[in-house]
Amino acid sequence: MALKMVKGSIDRMFDKNLQDLVRGIRNHKEDEAKYISQCIDEIKQELKQDNIAVKANAVCKLTYLQMLGYDISWAAFNIIEVMSASKFTFKRIGYLAASQCFHEGTDVIMLTTNQIRKDLSSPNQYDTGVALTGLSCFVTPDLARDLANDIMTLMSHTKPYIRKKAVLIMYKVFLKYPESLRPAFPRLKEKLEDPDPGVQSAAVNVICELARRNPKNYLSLAPLFFKLMTSSTNNWVLIKIIKLFGALTPLEPRLGKKLIEPLTNLIHSTSAMSLLYECVNTVIAVLISLSSGMPNHSASIQLCVQKLRILIEDSDQNLKYLGLLAMSKILKTHPKSVQSHKDLILQCLDDKDESIRLRALDLLYGMVSKKNLMEIVKKLMIHVDKAEGTTYRDELLTKIIDICSQSNYQYITNFEWYISILVELTRLEGTRHGHLIAAQMLDVAIRVKAIRKFAVSQMAMLLDNAHLIASNTQRNGICEVLYAAAWICGEFSEHLEEANQTLEAMLRPKVTTLPGHIQAVYVQNMVKLYASLLQQKEQSGEKEAAQEITQLMIERLPQFVQSADLEVQERASCILQLIKYIQKLQIKEVPVAEEVIALFAGELNPVAPKAQKKVPVPEGLDLDAWINEPPSDSESEDEKPKTIFHDEEQRHSRHRQPEIDEEELARRREARKQEQANNPFYIKSSPSPQKRYQDTPGVEHIPVVQIDLSVPLKVPGMPMSDQYVKLEEERRHKQKLEKDKKKKKQKKEKRGKHHRHNSLHTESEEDIAPAHHVDIITEEMPENALPSDEDDKDPNDPYKALDIDLDKPLADSEKLPVQRHRNVETLKSPDSEAPLVEKKSKKPKKKEKKHKEKERDKGKKKEKEKKKSSKHKKKKHKKEKEEKSKDKKKSKKKSHHSEEETTESVQNGTLDDEPLPPMSSYRLLAENPYIKMTYDIQGNLQNDSQVTVSVIFENKSTSFLKSMELNVLDSLNTKMLRPEGSSVHDGIPVPFQLPPGISNEAQFVFTLQSIVMAQKLKGTLSFIVKNDEGSTHEKLDFKLHFSCASYLITTPCYSDAFAKLLESGDLHMSSIKVDGISISFQHLLAKICFHHHFSVVERVDSCASMYSRSIQGHHVCLLVKKGENSVSIDGKCSDSTLLSNLLDEMKETLSKC
Amino acid sequence: MIKFFLMVNKQGQTRLSRYYEHVEINKRTMLEAEVIKNCLSRSKDQCSFIEYKDFKLVYRQYAALFVVVGINETENEMAVYELIHNFVEVLDKYFSRVIMFNLDRVHIILDEMVLNGCIVETNRNRILAPLSVLDKVAES
């Protein structure tokens, strides 16, 4: 064991182990941070040592520190070292650390691929197991692609221990690399019938997760699962299978019917609560899916509800909670069966546990009906009182509003009652939901015409008592209701009894302590009040009184003019001027009321929230067309947009220009109405919610829903909702018998008084007539609005990619990538690739910059590029220019390992955060007016005599390029790999065609014998240019340059191995020196890494050791030193020719710096 | 699916954490602090499930130690509740001493039981098999 080994080693005696660290932290409670930073320093020292046991111990401690919240990503490389230890005891420490701290963004992760592959195929099952577990935590798309095949093989391992883990990991692989799903699925399916129950359960788990996201692809497995369900005795597995069925039944109702019986049997027989709960859930899902077709399952519903009742009544809070949760699912389709348990649910509102109360609240939402709404809300109001000052009270408040307002106030029979409830809710101090109450007040007052009078009187009262509500504005969200109150009183001022008093209340100095947006509404609406008062007084000939009001306004408005809030200030000063002007007119005894009131004529109608979105684009209007041609400024403006803005301006004019002459306003208003009636863009009202998309005859028509009515009853005054409940009961009693006339108003002070109330109409069997005449004005929608609601599917859903048809037979191209064969495959089956390539060619030509992604397997490439491109977009943008120039330089640069690798290697030494200059490994191959070719060469790790040349073809012309064929003149040493059966003179067809402006990439494999020298091959691309004038054959010659660096493969190397290599003495040595280097050392290293495929082994100040390996296994070691203005490179290599060629190439690169 | 598995003591110190979906390190500490705050604020007569953000917490308290599991909406709460107990029983069987000093071993046990966010093994002997192999190696 790790710790013992450490202890055994004498010179390590003083190293801390994990136990010491834990104790140490405990003993340093006061200066924990300091102690830990000291420990981290020690750990850094330990990590520098060669002894793997010491490193493992250090990593083990780091894992603990990571758990405490310390970032250990800096040690990623050391973790990999420990992961690759041969001893299991160390290896698992490495993997544990990796699984805790590695993730997709960890860049060194790609260095682990081969190590993990080795561990996966280890003869020791625990090595494999630990690798699989680790992989499940940090698998990346790259790892998934590279290891998919290995993991799939493990699914058929002889040991169930491995099989079960491999099966589960496949789920993560599918997510990261969706292409693997189809090839792996047959085997996954096999595992459902694995002799080992653990493996079986793992397979069920994976398929259950997959099916949950895309159920339709898994329907064909239903019979198999059915068999499993009836035969399995493992509750864990049963739960998963039953859950899976829950996902499948909505798609296949016949399955549901078959399931009911075994599920009900399970419900009766099982003692495991988790299983019972799962069964009930699935039965509910089945019943939901059946509810349309099969009516006769009331027995099953009854059984479920009964069982749930037992759960809810249980003293175990967990069961109670789950019971309520499941009950709410039944509620959606079978509300009646749940409603009979109202008593129980209401009882849960008294529970000690808030989670349970909230669940009960949710249920209540669905349980209300016209009959019981008042009763339920009354109960809730009692709870509101009890729950003072908690978040639960806020929750109650929103629930009350939700319950009442649901489905367009469907269950409210008496809106006076509702307004009273809202007014009562304003007594809640410190609630955050003042705006909710305000919104409801506004909505009801606007949409329920009949209630306006009552609403206005209540609101006037609120305004009068504003000092109670707004006592401490700072922490009081409830003052929002004053916003609604002021607006309602102003807009519907004709209903005000004591407008004078209300105006007085709105002008109180205390108002200036309210939030700005509320004051603004106050100011605006006091003018409305003022206007209607003025009219009243003028009509009754009380000139004095009219002037008094004007005087009052002029006296009090300045307090708002001084407001710090811009909106308030602006409105107040406009209005003040207006009123001063009115005063002048009044003094001249000119009647002004008519004109003042005209400022606010017209009625506001509610507009549906989505109305704007639903305005259809009229025929002939092209939203993408230029409104004005950009260069010409003399042309006249387009008509259409102008009318839109014009229209809008006018609608706003009422707020913006209150001082405009009233006659002019009236005239404009008239004109506007005319225009609106004719304007196709104006949002008109629609007749009813059912037919809201119909055309309406004109603007004047205000759509209303007629609701059966009885006579309204006024019970004004502060909180009185209870009275309504009582009255409502009486009313319902008497309803059939009585008929009556009018009702009396009552002041709030007389709240105890008895009210007579009246009702009309007979009660229908199940429905209760509303207490008074209610018109709910529907929200307006634009005409021709599209009825469909947009699908709000998340385009970034990672599971979308897994929506794959699994029953289709596998195509050859779908095999999981096995690294060794990729090259050859590309060549052998160009046909099977064609469709994929074609899709790809539609993408913009940016591709050439994506040098990083050069997997040989093109199908897989597509998706990855998308991701990368978004990641690197910014960088790329900057890069673009520089790259182009670089391409032309014909320097010897190429690599598929880009900067990323470089920086990460540098982490071994000191870390510079300096940004690296952009680099591209693609170089120009040839160019003519039709086509441009750039290329990059990479060595092939698996085959020591092959390199892959990737060529990007870019169509520069406006013609279509097709029948492209690439041919090269082979040399003795270097030959192009051609399909079997073709001669050395045959070219290779490029597997795609190029539409104008499109670029695409093709890959060609070359075989080589010696790699110590650079090579040049002559070649020709022939192609057909097709355009309107016809087709022509064209040719383009090129020279393909194989530099020595293209035979190198970036290979990481640890410093100890590097040192051994240098000491071995089998290497030839050579040096170069380049003067006049001005770029930073880091950039220099990055360039060497990128263009010459090296990796940094170690870096100390301005000195670095680097390593690379050729495809034929030559080691190349470099020591790079930077002086003032020069760089010297000492190289060692197993082949002297290769080394000198490489150094020459490097010299060329550096001399350009 | 299980999103994370935590062991936290009453003082709010994390004693074990395992995330099955990547969470950034600084967010982990915040999450853990909030989770334990949520658990501590609950009394014995409240249920063991907490709705927290877009997922659920299932927790059990053993003396001063809370085991908290974060799950998504598709997991069976009751099953996870039972899993926690199963896990604690296994720990109880294997460890005679303080668990803290053997964090790596606790991880091995957990990894045997939960993989990739799925419950894989609940049989006590099979869970402990790799550990006993490891112990034999260590002794020899």
Side-chain angles (χ1 to χ4, degrees), chain A residues 992-1143:
Chain A
F992 48 79
Q993 302 181 335
L994 285 180
I998 297 298
S999 61
N1000 203 344
E1001 180 176 304
Q1003 288 169 330
F1004 306 91
V1005 178
F1006 286 77
T1007 56
L1008 323 128
Q1009 314 218 306
S1010 159
I1011 59 157
V1012 297
M1013 304 261 277
Q1015 307 271 340
K1016 276 184 185 167
L1017 288 188
K1018 277 187 186 172
T1020 314
L1021 178 81
S1022 61
F1023 53 95
I1024 295 176
V1025 180
K1026 198 182 165 196
N1027 52 26
D1028 299 340
E1029 290 131 46
S1031 310
T1032 47
H1033 269 276
E1034 293 288 339
K1035 270 189 178 178
L1036 176 61
D1037 291 334
F1038 58 83
K1039 257 185 197 167
L1040 203 52
H1041 183 107
F1042 293 86
S1043 65
C1044 286
S1046 54
Y1047 308 136
L1048 296 185
I1049 290 171
T1050 315
T1051 319
C1053 180
Y1054 303 132
S1055 48
D1056 39 353
F1058 187 78
K1060 257 181 221 153
L1061 200 60
L1062 289 179
E1063 284 160 14
S1064 67
D1066 332 325
L1067 303 181
H1068 303 270
M1069 186 173 157
S1070 179
S1071 316
I1072 51 163
K1073 191 170 179 199
V1074 186
D1075 291 322
I1077 302 282
S1078 54
I1079 61 167
S1080 76
F1081 190 53
Q1082 200 210 348
H1083 286 187
L1084 185 91
L1085 290 183
K1087 270 200 153 59
I1088 297 177
C1089 288
F1090 183 71
H1091 294 299
H1092 299 271
H1093 303 192
F1094 278 85
S1095 65
V1096 177
V1097 179
E1098 212 164 12
R1099 176 180 159 188
V1100 184
D1101 300 329
S1102 58
C1103 192
S1105 52
M1106 305 180 86
Y1107 175 80
S1108 186
R1109 225 180 132 216
S1110 79
I1111 51 173
Q1112 294 183 354
H1114 302 98
H1115 300 285
V1116 190
C1117 307
L1118 298 181
L1119 185 64
V1120 184
K1121 279 183 251 173
K1122 189 174 186 318
E1124 274 293 278
N1125 264 323
S1126 64
V1127 173
S1128 68
I1129 301 177
D1130 298 322
K1132 279 193 171 184
C1133 175
S1134 25
D1135 187 293
S1136 59
T1137 329
L1138 179 63
L1139 180 62
S1140 66
N1141 284 325
L1142 278 171
L1143 289 178

Side-chain angles (χ1 to χ4, degrees), chain A residues 168 243 317-318 321 353 359, chain B residues 45 47-48 51 74 112 120:
Chain A
L168 275 171
K243 196 182 277 296
Q317 297 286 49
N318 294 330
Y321 172 86
D353 185 355
R359 286 267 79 97
Chain B
D45 48 9
C47 69
S48 305
E51 283 157 59
T74 58
E112 290 303 316
V120 267

Side-chain angles (χ1 to χ4, degrees), chain B residues 68-133:
Chain B
V68 193
V69 184
I71 56 173
N72 68 6
E73 76 283 4
T74 58
E75 195 61 57
N76 184 313
E77 292 91 341
M78 213 55 209
V80 174
Y81 185 69
E82 283 157 23
L83 172 83
I84 296 177
H85 194 64
N86 191 338
F87 174 68
V88 172
E89 276 177 351
V90 176
L91 291 187
D92 200 44
K93 185 179 172 194
Y94 181 77
F95 290 104
S96 46
R97 299 188 308 142
V98 192
I99 299 172
M100 256 341 285
F101 300 143
N102 293 286
L103 189 65
D104 49 338
R105 276 149 199 266
V106 183
H107 268 291
I108 294 180
I109 294 178
L110 181 60
D111 286 346
E112 290 303 316
M113 295 180 69
V114 181
L115 185 59
N116 215 359
C118 296
I119 301 167
V120 267
E121 190 59 78
T122 47
N123 178 302
R124 213 178 299 176
N125 293 325
R126 278 201 293 266
I127 292 168
L128 293 176
L131 266 180
S132 55
V133 172

